[in-house]
Amino acid sequence: MSVPVITADRLGKRYTLGGTPGGIGARTLRDAIGAAIRAPRRAGEARELWALRDVSFTVGAGEILGVIGRNGAGKSTLLKLLSRITRPTEGRMRIRGRIASLLEVGTGFHMELTGRENVYLNGAVLGMRRAEIARKFDEIVAFAEVERFIDTPVKRYSTGMFLRLAFAVAAHLEADILLVDEVLAVGDAEFQKKCLGKMDEVVHAGRTVLFVSHTMGAITGLCPTALLLEHGGVVMQGAAVDVVHAYLNANRSAPPSIDIARAQHLDAHHGAGIVRLERVELENPFGGSFAVPWKEPIRLTLRYQVEQDMTNVVFGLRVDSTTGVPLFGAHHTDDGAQPVTIARGTHHLNIIIENTLQAGRYVLAIGAHSAVSRDILFLVPDAATLDVLDVTATGRPYLGKYGCQTNGSAAWEFSD
Ligand SMILES: Nc1ncnc2c1ncn2[C@@H]1O[C@H](COP(=O)(O)OP(=O)(O)OP(=O)(O)O)[C@@H](O)[C@H]1O
Ligand SMILES: [Mg+2]
């Protein structure tokens, strides 16, 4: 391996929850509630939570390490320790070089300042001189596609604009290490591709990247190796494909309906929580599990909640393999239907997916975006795990298709 650039040696971070309702230092209401549910507290008793424990690894120069794990596993905590936003409770880390980080969207950005001012501020924090930053400035603005808004305070930016600028700053300024926390959660597909391309470039230029993502295809596509965190500990480290596979196949009990916790939604910067998926139900479940017979259409019912009247909403879904390879995606507008207007309240959406999948296990991602701003309204990347069974609806065993990935059907017409 090349020179170690990041060395984490038994890193641990303990948070104390107690005192004020929900716990001192809980970042968000969501964290406070989550922590309170997991650790009901008797009066006067302070609760401790190890957000990260006994985490050791090294990353060399020019390497990119993927970091995956469920919500609350400790991924962001790890990046915060490495970027010195918080201090470890125990263990040590050694870091060679300057770090640029894109943590929860907006860290290091000041809402009242303009895009231009934020670029200079971030450069200054990295120890760059004004002239050095000026040399990178145009490239940053062009990458972020915010030319017209560069002198507008960033609080007026849409989610997409804000994220594009934050990513451009982190990726272009002269840091040796780039820490990226879930950049793909917001932003449209084109920008996601651009970010992935840029991260690849950064690595090829000899810099080191730590990339946290819930998008398994991005992890396996970009990172040769990955780290799986669970309850603050490393449960697996190795080839990204193996780690992703292990993660997606862990403790799947596959019930016929799945309640979506608020925490499973990837946070969108603006509009976060206005549209929220609450439940995914599979109709006609087979054998009481989240499974459908071979070739049987997949009928889903979503229950979702909208906090305020919304217009121009487009729902979408994607089916991924358990190794994170996207197999296909669909939007409700694909066949010419219009984006929808939704009144405040609880609603249902029935979806029928033509089942061209081979027998096996798949992961469903469900989300919605605005047709106008393209902002993601919600996104649950692993809303459900679906098994396509190796039997037909009548229970007849299916004979296998020579290891093919999808089903197709053919008309067979015999003649002399
Ligand atoms: N400042 C804090 N005070 C108290 N608890 C915290 C704090 N920050 C994080 N935690 C808790 O530490 C645990 C790990 O959180 P962390 O944000 O690192 O998870 P994550 O893997 O990034 O999750 P996600 O996928 O949702 O982003 C969670 O239980 C969280 O509630
Ligand atoms: Mg996180």
Side-chain angles (χ1 to χ4, degrees), residues 11 30 32 34 60 75 89 94 100 128 139 155 176 178 238 258 266 306 331 338 340 383 408:
L11 271 187
R30 173 200 118 187
K75 304 177 298 295
T89 311
R94 207 164 48 241
M128 292 172 68
E139 209 185 325
K155 67 178 176 199
D176 309 291
L178 182 60
I258 294 174
L266 291 174
V306 183
H331 288 113
Q338 290 303 307
V340 286

Side-chain angles (χ1 to χ4, degrees), residues 210-231:
L210 230 71
F211 177 44
V212 169
S213 183
H214 286 277
T215 309
M216 296 304 132
I219 293 282
T220 51
L222 202 59
C223 312
T225 61
L227 187 81
L228 172 59
L229 288 177
E230 210 176 283
H231 305 301

Side-chain angles (χ1 to χ4, degrees), residues 142-145 167 189-199:
F143 184 93
E145 297 168 29
F167 181 85
E190 212 175 304
F191 180 67
Q192 293 180 5
K193 235 198 270 165
K194 213 161 119 175
C195 287
L196 293 176
K198 186 71 200 171
M199 280 193 271

Side-chain angles (χ1 to χ4, degrees), residues 7 41 151 256 268 288 328 342 375 405:
T7 310
R41 185 162 58 88
D151 291 308
F328 65 85
I342 313 167
D375 283 352
Q405 294 292 305

Side-chain angles (χ1 to χ4, degrees), residues 261-281:
R262 192 172 273 272
Q264 271 166 269
H265 293 69
L266 291 174
D267 281 348
H269 172 61
H270 290 276
I274 294 177
V275 184
R276 194 160 63 81
L277 183 64
E278 290 184 329
R279 193 177 171 85
V280 181
E281 233 172 68

